[in-house]
Amino acid sequence: MMAESAAGSKRIVQERIVQERIAQGEIIHGGDLDAARAAFPGAPEPWVDLSTGINPWPYPLPPIPADAWARLPGRAAETALREAAAACYGVPSADRVAAAGGSQALIQILPRLRRPGTVAVLGPTYAEHAAGWAKTGHRVAEVESLEGCDADVVVVVNPNNPDGRIVLPETLLALAERQAARGGWLVVDEAFAEVTPECSVASEAGRAGLVILRSFGKFFGLAGVRLGFLLGEPTLVRDVRAAVGPWAVSGPALAVATAALSDSAWIAATRRRLADAAARFDARLVEAGVRVAGGTSLFRLIDDPQSAGLYNELGRTGVLVRRFDYRQGWLRLGLPADTLAEDRVTTACGTFKNR
């Protein structure tokens, strides 16, 4: 009885923390160069923006047919996109794939497809998950472990943003089975799974209780396309497609993404390129005196007690990185696009650490 009471009290505290974060206002994300320029007006231009974790070597844009700009997107083009996504992610069939204008749109849609209940988000992680569920009337708690999770919906970002934590597929599938038995969901956000395909459960899309999100723009380096996918049971896919409405993906986005998702040679080469670049960047960061605590090959996480000063030093040199209000020692860095950018980052780190 005492253990149950302690667990209940801990959940109440967790829920209160989530609500307090939401009440503080808009969630801060990376990519806000206007704010960075205002904060560091003397910084050299152009800025090196490493705050988003997006591939700095984007997929080369294919020719886009003129009518993709002039006509409403056709059903055949959307079907081709869903088929390309299913093939790329290893999903058994396209009827288990829904497309929308970014995985962020899907994060906001999903909570509206269930009656208000309890939600456990494995954290710390991407803050929009907890916010999306809480804003639609669900009781949300951020949890540190999946052990003993009994919420109606469990959310796991895998690999995690920002620390790169990975939950093994067999663990996720066992949890999905338990969630399905109680009429619940396991939502797995695989926004960064392109670089760790071995951790993906996309091939199991269609299992009861399992909902998977994929992001197109991060790995393919085309965040401006605004495209994401939900993978799941055909009935849920139909509900999501109805919720996003007609023409959810623009004609140019359909053309670009269908080509990119079908380009297996580019995908394989890019995975190798990102892994090599991340390893090289790690070595240079360590040489500069900072500790790399985790991440994926799309972003690296620094854990340093002097992170506030390091953030300011980088800002003064025109480098924008991501900091976190919930973990003061953390800074997340995307990969620099070239040697000059890498030099600017590591020189600033070394200057600060050796001061």
Side-chain angles (χ1 to χ4, degrees):
M1 183 69 70
M2 289 182 64
E4 291 179 2
S5 177
S9 299
K10 183 176 181 180
R11 183 178 183 91
I12 290 171
V13 171
Q14 292 166 334
E15 291 173 357
R16 186 182 302 125
I17 291 171
V18 171
Q19 293 294 342
E20 287 174 352
R21 287 179 183 167
I22 293 169
Q24 289 172 0
E26 183 181 359
I27 295 171
I28 303 301
H29 298 292
D32 192 347
L33 282 176
D34 290 337
R37 288 188 175 101
F40 302 100
E45 294 280 353
W47 275 73
V48 175
D49 184 3
L50 304 183
S51 65
T52 59
I54 295 168
N55 182 357
W57 305 293
Y59 185 78
L61 292 176
I64 299 175
D67 65 356
W69 299 98
R71 297 175 56 85
L72 288 172
R75 184 173 298 178
E78 191 213 353
T79 298
L81 171 68
R82 293 168 61 217
E83 289 174 345
C88 181
Y89 299 144
V91 179
S93 63
D95 67 347
R96 304 179 191 188
V97 179
S103 57
Q104 178 59 46
L106 294 165
I107 289 171
Q108 294 177 258
I109 287 169
L110 273 178
R112 297 181 172 88
L113 301 181
R114 289 187 66 98
R115 293 179 179 176
T118 56
V119 179
V121 179
L122 183 62
T125 192
Y126 183 56
E128 292 287 355
H129 283 290
W133 289 95
K135 288 175 182 176
T136 49
H138 298 265
R139 292 175 53 200
V140 182
E142 186 176 279
V143 298
E144 298 175 352
S145 169
L146 295 175
E147 187 174 349
C149 264
D150 61 353
D152 301 319
V153 176
V154 178
V155 180
V156 178
V157 180
N158 201 48
N160 191 45
N161 173 18
D163 61 359
R165 176 197 60 220
I166 289 177
V167 180
L168 294 176
E170 52 265 35
T171 301
L172 293 173
L173 295 177
L175 178 55
E177 186 174 356
R178 294 196 297 274
Q179 288 296 99
R182 60 199 307 274
W185 285 350
L186 168 64
V187 178
V188 184
D189 183 345
E190 295 188 344
F192 294 97
E194 250 89 3
V195 296
T196 53
E198 68 279 1
C199 83
S200 173
V201 291
S203 63
E204 301 294 327
R207 279 191 180 217
L210 179 62
V211 183
I212 304 161
L213 302 177
R214 296 295 290 245
S215 171
F216 173 78
K218 295 177 178 64
F219 176 76
F220 289 96
L222 297 170
V225 167
R226 304 310 307 135
L227 177 63
F229 299 97
L230 178 139
L231 318 176
E233 296 177 83
T235 52
L236 175 60
V237 165
R238 288 194 292 272
D239 289 344
V240 169
R241 295 182 69 197
V244 300
W247 315 300
V249 181
S250 72
L254 290 170
V256 170
T258 301
L261 290 163
S262 303
D263 195 338
S264 57
W266 185 91
I267 290 169
T270 298
R271 283 181 181 141
R272 293 192 296 270
R273 182 180 190 180
L274 289 168
D276 291 345
R280 183 181 65 249
F281 192 33
D282 277 4
R284 295 203 62 186
L285 288 170
V286 170
E287 185 180 3
V290 296
R291 175 175 176 265
V292 179
T296 73
S297 58
L298 281 167
F299 59 83
R300 312 307 295 151
L301 183 70
I302 289 175
D303 188 358
D304 193 296
Q306 297 177 298
S307 65
L310 181 56
Y311 177 88
N312 289 330
E313 180 71 23
L314 289 163
R316 285 190 290 269
T317 59
V319 177
L320 178 60
V321 299
R322 179 75 163 86
R323 56 183 174 180
F324 302 90
D325 59 356
Y326 57 79
R327 193 66 65 89
Q328 297 298 317
W330 281 3
L331 295 176
R332 191 192 67 195
L333 289 70
L335 299 188
D338 52 43
T339 303
L340 289 176
E342 194 173 276
D343 288 345
R344 197 194 300 189
V345 175
T346 55
T347 298
C349 289
T351 298
F352 177 78
K353 296 300 290 185
N354 294 316
R355 184 169 294 153

